[in-house]
């Protein structure tokens, strides 16, 4: 749940961070609406420099809120560092910032302007505080991410093997493929063990496994990447976090682009929904009915799959939020 705006009076400063792979663009906004700006590297040294800079500005942890966009993995280290130093940190879905920019009629698109906008958003909207994952969740996330990376390498190696004509090259690719498969199996066993030894993770994954189409490995990704369902106010927000909301392109009445998934969000969570959604379109009554309705309306195959991925994540969110096993009657195919 979002906190009441009245709590904003507790903070004299709002720090907006535009997060990049290499740098962090900073904008520190005071209650008087004055803005101080600087840029630091997005590494451990830069993170320490940021905290020192805040101290020099008089922006203590007790008087400063920090707001940044979720940007893949690039925001995690600085969010953790600021949290460890006592700052109140919010990590916000980029779609919320984009919507806020539109409402403010912002036309300038630069890193500095983005940081200032994020600072103003944090100051006026008072987004929910971010909390780091538990040690068990972090370990599970590390394992599931390693497995996903190996799955991608497995696909690439299989493609190279299929294209190879030289027997020696084929043998080399086959040996590599066998090794990757072995490593994936080892990781899957480790993931299963980690889930079983933690009662909270086990309960969450067991709930998700009641959903037709969702197995343990997918459940582990959902739990580790989605985090607590309490951080989202709705299933739509959870889908937006994964970049599974449709993006419509429209100009006047003459130009209309086909809807596409936004793909702005957690790509690992989004990719984890693809094959389970394909299975759910066949064996999950709620998702199948939903997909059938879209097909009857003439929607293309990939549009149906994308919608099924979003529907399946909605169901995952609902099951985790309610703490109850999957009930198809609660998820009509509309």
């Amino acid at each position: 749940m979002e906190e009441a705006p009245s709590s904003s009076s507790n903070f004299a400063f709002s720090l907006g961070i535009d997060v990049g792979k290499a740098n962090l663009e900073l904008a520190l906004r005071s209650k008087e609406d004055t803005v101080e700006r600087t840029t630091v590297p997005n590494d451990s040294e830069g993170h320490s420099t940021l905290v020192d800079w805040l101290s020099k500005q008089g922006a203590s942890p007790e008087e400063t809120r920090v707001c940044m966009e979720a940007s893949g993995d690039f925001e995690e280290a600085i969010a953790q560092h600021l949290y460890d130093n006592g700052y109140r940190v919010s990590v916000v879905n980029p779609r919320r910032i984009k919507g806020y920019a539109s409402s403010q009629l912002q036309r300038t698109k630069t890193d500095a302007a983005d940081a200032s906008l994020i600072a103003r958003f944090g100051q006026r909207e008072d987004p929910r505080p971010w909390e780091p994952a538990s040690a068990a969740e972090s370990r599970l996330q590390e394992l599931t991410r390693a497995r996903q990376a190996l799955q991608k390498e497995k696909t690439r190696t299989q493609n190279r093997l299929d294209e190879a004509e030289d027997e020696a090259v084929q043998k080399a690719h086959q040996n590599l493929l066998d090794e990757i498969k072995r490593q994936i199996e080892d990781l899957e066993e480790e993931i299963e063990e980690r889930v079983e030894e933690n009662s909270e993770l086990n309960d969450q994954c067991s709930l998700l496994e009641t959903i037709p189409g969702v197995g343990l490995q997918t459940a582990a990704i959902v739990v580790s990447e989605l985090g607590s369902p309490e951080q989202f106010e709705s299933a739509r927000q959870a889908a937006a976090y994964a970049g599974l909301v449709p993006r419509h392109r429209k100009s006047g009445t003459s130009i209309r682009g086909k809807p596409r998934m936004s793909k702005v969000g957690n790509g690992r969570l989004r990719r984890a929904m693809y094959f389970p959604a394909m299975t759910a379109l066949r064996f999950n009554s709620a998702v199948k009915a939903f997909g059938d309705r879209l097909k009857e309306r003439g929607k293309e195959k990939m549009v149906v799959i994308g919608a099924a991925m979003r529907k399946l994540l909605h169901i995952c969110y609902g099951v985790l939020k309610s703490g109850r096993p999957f009930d198809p009657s609660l998820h009509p195919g509309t």
Side-chain angles (χ1 to χ4, degrees):
M1 295 291 291
E2 296 287 343
E3 296 185 8
S6 59
S7 65
S8 63
S9 61
N10 298 332
F11 298 94
F13 298 95
S14 178
L15 175 67
I17 305 180
D18 186 69
V19 180
K21 182 178 181 180
N23 295 306
L24 303 172
E25 192 74 33
L26 311 175
L28 183 65
R29 184 179 292 272
S30 70
K31 276 189 174 181
E32 292 73 29
D33 236 18
T34 60
V35 180
E36 298 292 336
R37 295 184 173 88
T38 191
T39 303
V40 299
N42 191 3
D43 55 27
S44 58
E45 184 176 346
H47 300 167
S48 297
T49 300
L50 189 162
V51 172
D52 292 341
W53 179 76
L54 287 174
S55 180
K56 291 176 182 177
Q57 303 299 321
S60 67
E62 296 77 20
E63 295 184 301
T64 307
R65 79 177 78 240
V66 181
C67 188
M68 66 189 78
E69 291 181 332
S71 58
D73 301 332
F74 302 139
E75 83 286 352
E76 292 182 0
I78 184 56
Q80 183 70 57
H81 186 78
L82 287 166
Y83 180 90
D84 290 342
N85 278 272
Y87 284 90
R88 180 188 190 274
V89 179
S90 296
V91 179
V92 182
N93 190 286
R95 289 179 62 86
R96 290 190 66 190
I97 303 296
K98 184 177 181 181
Y100 183 75
S102 297
S103 73
Q104 300 296 302
L105 302 179
Q106 175 163 315
R107 297 289 182 263
T108 305
K109 180 64 178 175
T110 65
D111 292 344
D114 285 348
S116 183
L117 175 78
I118 293 168
R120 189 163 71 245
F121 173 88
Q123 187 179 51
R124 298 183 180 180
E125 300 300 316
D126 196 26
R128 181 184 183 277
W130 172 87
E131 292 186 5
S134 67
E137 289 171 336
S138 295
R139 178 57 177 158
L140 183 62
Q141 186 180 80
E142 184 180 0
L143 290 168
T144 57
R145 289 183 175 185
R147 176 180 173 273
Q148 283 186 308
L150 283 175
Q151 291 281 16
K152 290 177 67 175
E153 189 58 38
K154 174 187 169 185
T155 299
R156 284 194 288 262
T157 304
Q158 183 66 64
N159 290 338
R160 295 189 190 107
L161 174 61
D162 293 341
E163 294 169 359
E165 296 181 0
D166 184 86
E167 185 175 343
V169 174
Q170 289 176 346
K171 184 177 180 180
H173 286 317
Q174 184 62 61
N175 290 339
L176 178 58
L177 186 61
D178 292 341
E179 175 60 20
I180 292 172
K181 289 179 179 178
R182 185 191 64 77
Q183 291 182 22
I184 290 173
E185 290 175 0
D186 290 345
L187 279 174
E188 289 179 345
E189 290 180 6
E190 179 74 9
I191 289 168
E192 186 173 354
E193 290 175 5
R194 292 288 176 171
V195 169
E196 288 179 349
E197 68 187 20
N198 184 283
S199 59
E200 184 176 357
L201 294 178
N202 192 40
D203 289 346
Q204 290 176 317
C205 288
S206 295
L207 281 172
L208 290 173
E209 286 183 273
T210 66
I211 305 169
V214 177
L216 173 61
Q217 298 301 323
T218 299
I221 295 172
V222 172
V223 168
S224 63
E225 296 292 343
L226 191 63
S228 170
E230 300 302 324
Q231 68 178 309
F232 304 104
E233 291 186 348
S234 65
R236 180 174 175 79
Q237 278 193 8
Y241 173 73
L244 284 172
V245 294
R247 181 188 64 192
H248 296 275
R249 291 183 294 132
K250 180 178 179 182
S251 177
T253 58
S254 59
I255 301 176
R256 287 185 174 85
K258 294 180 180 179
R260 295 285 187 267
M261 282 190 292
S262 71
K263 295 187 178 180
V264 177
N266 188 309
R268 293 182 176 88
L269 182 56
R270 182 171 61 251
R271 289 190 293 273
M273 290 292 103
Y274 182 79
F275 288 112
M278 297 279 283
T279 301
L281 281 167
R282 298 179 59 194
F283 301 110
N284 184 314
S285 58
V287 179
K288 184 178 185 302
F290 180 56
D292 289 344
R293 287 174 64 89
L294 293 177
K295 292 174 186 176
E296 289 171 3
R297 289 161 53 188
K299 299 297 182 181
E300 298 176 359
K301 179 180 179 181
M302 291 308 299
V303 172
V304 174
I305 294 174
M309 292 165 66
R310 183 168 62 254
K311 177 76 171 179
L312 189 59
L313 187 57
H314 281 188
I315 294 172
C316 290
Y317 168 83
V319 164
L320 290 174
K321 183 92 173 196
S322 67
R324 299 175 182 175
F326 172 67
D327 181 351
S329 68
L330 299 178
H331 304 278
T334 57

